Amino acid sequence: MRFIFTLSGLLLCLMASAQRKFDHKFNFGMNYVIGDSKERSDDWYEAIEDDYLSLKFDYVASFKLNRSIEIGPGVGIRHLISLDETSSNRNVSTNVMGYSSNTISNYFAIPVFVNFNARFIDKMVSPFVSVSTGYSFAVNDSDIELYNQDNGSRENYTSKIKSGFIANAQAGANIRFRNGMNVSAGPYFEFQPTKIARSNGMGNRTASQEIKRDLYHIGLQLVFAF
């Protein structure tokens, strides 16, 4: 028991002494996401979701190696909202197997990653670059309803973005305030090679399929650190 108390006290002392070397970073962003597949067809499982709007939030516990370089683990939330439930440039632009859809796909994921951040000059305002890499965990299925306008029949299928590798980068300007707070802003890019898995029931039949999809997030990110 003494050992546990001694170890706990030592850890608390180390955390207190290292507190000044840590930044708590909160990242907020909005991105346009392009979904790209090398092989496409007019099958139902490839008929939708080329582009998305992505809302993102990250927390990074950033350890200061010096006044210019920081590294640390992070965790976040991604929310992808389909912008085109049916693709606008193919034969299936208004229907899937004769059905139309007025449902918008929503996907949530939790990325866990390591972040590297570097300021280029030790001034109040400095250009910076930030790079992260890690793994994104998918947390939900998106339920889609299809309906036939001719006879009113309805069918349903589920769609899910698979978990997998994720990497991103940001460049921009960082402002360091005297009270220790930092604010950063700039363009943001994220790459996620993944698969979209879909399954549906048409009558007494059940069909399932996966299609490889590379997701390219392009947008702006705002970072608060203190």
Side-chain angles (χ1 to χ4, degrees):
M1 184 64 68
R2 285 185 179 180
F3 174 77
I4 295 176
F5 282 119
T6 302
L7 181 60
S8 299
L10 179 60
L11 290 175
L12 288 174
C13 291
L14 289 174
M15 290 173 62
S17 63
Q19 185 65 33
R20 290 178 297 176
K21 294 184 178 181
F22 275 94
D23 271 346
H24 300 279
K25 293 187 175 181
F26 299 90
N27 308 339
F28 304 88
M30 179 179 293
N31 308 316
Y32 179 78
V33 184
I34 301 172
D36 177 63
S37 297
K38 294 181 179 179
E39 297 181 3
R40 302 298 295 269
S41 72
D42 290 339
D43 291 328
W44 68 273
Y45 55 86
E46 296 185 48
I48 62 175
E49 300 177 25
D50 284 329
D51 303 296
Y52 309 83
L53 175 67
S54 173
L55 305 177
K56 68 182 295 290
F57 167 78
D58 291 332
Y59 167 75
V60 180
S62 191
F63 182 76
K64 298 179 181 178
L65 300 180
N66 53 47
R67 288 182 61 84
S68 299
I69 299 176
E70 300 178 0
I71 189 171
V75 63
I77 298 174
R78 299 290 185 276
H79 182 196
L80 268 68
I81 305 169
S82 176
L83 294 178
D84 54 349
E85 196 59 39
T86 54
S87 177
S88 61
N89 59 354
R90 292 181 292 125
N91 294 334
V92 290
S93 60
T94 58
N95 65 81
V96 180
M97 295 183 67
Y99 288 79
S100 298
S101 173
N102 58 3
T103 311
I104 298 177
S105 297
N106 286 267
Y107 302 105
F108 290 91
I110 299 177
V112 178
F113 54 88
V114 176
N115 173 259
F116 172 85
N117 185 284
R119 288 169 51 98
F120 293 108
I121 56 177
D122 190 15
K123 301 291 185 181
M124 179 180 176
V125 180
S126 169
F128 79 97
V129 63
S130 176
V131 178
S132 299
T133 182
Y135 195 88
S136 178
F137 295 91
V139 297
N140 78 303
D141 294 335
S142 186
D143 296 323
I144 306 300
E145 182 182 65
L146 305 178
Y147 62 93
N148 190 314
Q149 293 179 328
D150 295 330
N151 59 26
S153 63
R154 296 177 182 270
E155 303 288 350
N156 295 278
Y157 73 87
T158 62
S159 183
K160 182 175 183 177
I161 291 181
K162 307 283 283 188
S163 302
F165 171 81
I166 194 169
N168 59 60
Q170 182 188 15
N174 173 266
I175 303 175
R176 178 185 291 163
F177 298 94
R178 291 183 179 180
N179 61 2
M181 183 176 179
N182 286 260
V183 177
S184 304
Y188 172 88
F189 174 78
E190 186 166 277
F191 173 62
Q192 182 182 3
T194 186
K195 292 181 179 180
I196 295 183
R198 298 200 177 106
S199 62
N200 81 319
M202 293 289 188
N204 295 324
R205 297 184 299 110
T206 299
S208 63
Q209 187 60 267
E210 291 185 354
I211 179 68
K212 186 178 184 298
R213 186 69 48 89
D214 293 333
L215 301 180
Y216 301 92
H217 302 237
I218 304 169
L220 297 174
Q221 180 171 266
L222 184 64
V223 183
F224 298 93
F226 56 89

